[in-house]
Structures are given as C-alpha cells and as structure tokens.
Amino acid sequence: MDRKLECLRCGNSMEYIKSEKIQLGESGWLLRGLPNLMSGSLSVEIYFCNECGKIEFYHTNEELVTKIQCPGCGKFHDKSYRKCPFCKYDYKDK
Ligand SMILES: [Zn+2]
Ligand SMILES: [Zn+2]
C-alpha cells in the first residue's frame, strides 16, 4: 500500500520505507500511548522525511486503526465519531 503523506513538522512529502510487523510488548518505546487492550502483533508502515529526519509509523491493521474504545461505556466504535454513538460521550469535553 502506497500513499502520499506530508511531514507534520515541515510539510515535505514523506518517503515510504517499508512495512513491518511489530510484536506488541517488545517494542514499548515505539508503541507507548497505545491502549493496553491491544495484543498480538501490529502491522505498521514506516515513512521517513528526508527534509527534517522525522520518522512516522502508520498502523495498517484495520481493526486497530478505525476502532477506539469509548471511555464512557467501554464499547468500540469508529474513531471518526465526535460523540460515542452508544452513550453520547463527547470527546470535545476532554
Ligand atoms: Zn519533515
Ligand atoms: Zn460510549
């Protein structure tokens, strides 16, 4: 999978390097901040900005990319929702 990405830092277009499977639990430095509910392995695509040297990792595992767990009711829903479709938890209030 190839896509055009812009560096968040400098706006340069980022270069695709490779995709890699990461074993969760062994790469804590990389995946810090991800919810603990994820387990197993995670597929990521690695992009590099040769302008400022920034490296970005993008998840390619659909399940992990598009679903988040609502802190209000604990159900999973698409992360594009501004409010939880189940309990109306409002993410803007945070
Ligand atoms: Zn950059
Ligand atoms: Zn909810």
Side-chain angles (χ1 to χ4, degrees), residues 51-94:
E51 192 69 25
C52 68
K54 186 174 171 59
I55 291 177
E56 290 276 12
F57 296 87
Y58 289 89
H59 312 163
T60 55
N61 187 325
E62 279 302 301
E63 190 69 24
L64 298 181
V65 171
T66 58
K67 300 285 184 188
I68 60 170
Q69 187 177 21
C70 172
C73 64
K75 288 178 179 163
F76 288 87
H77 62 80
D78 195 291
K79 74 175 178 184
S80 62
Y81 284 106
R82 292 248 172 83
K83 288 182 180 182
C84 172
F86 304 108
C87 71
K88 308 298 178 205
Y89 178 88
D90 196 334
Y91 290 96
K92 283 180 308 193
D93 283 349
K94 285 188 77 178

Side-chain angles (χ1 to χ4, degrees), residues 6-14 49-54:
E6 281 196 354
C7 176
L8 296 174
R9 197 187 283 168
C10 69
N12 190 47
S13 63
M14 298 187 85
C49 172
N50 51 29
E51 192 69 25
C52 68
K54 186 174 171 59

Side-chain angles (χ1 to χ4, degrees), residues 14-69:
M14 298 187 85
E15 204 170 298
Y16 172 75
I17 298 184
K18 61 175 177 175
S19 40
E20 202 161 273
K21 253 196 154 45
I22 294 172
Q23 207 61 41
L24 294 182
E26 292 171 10
S27 307
W29 61 272
L30 178 65
L31 299 168
R32 235 194 333 250
L34 287 180
N36 293 326
L37 54 100
M38 297 176 186
S39 60
S41 64
L42 181 67
S43 298
V44 295
E45 289 180 341
I46 302 171
Y47 286 82
F48 174 70
C49 172
N50 51 29
E51 192 69 25
C52 68
K54 186 174 171 59
I55 291 177
E56 290 276 12
F57 296 87
Y58 289 89
H59 312 163
T60 55
N61 187 325
E62 279 302 301
E63 190 69 24
L64 298 181
V65 171
T66 58
K67 300 285 184 188
I68 60 170
Q69 187 177 21

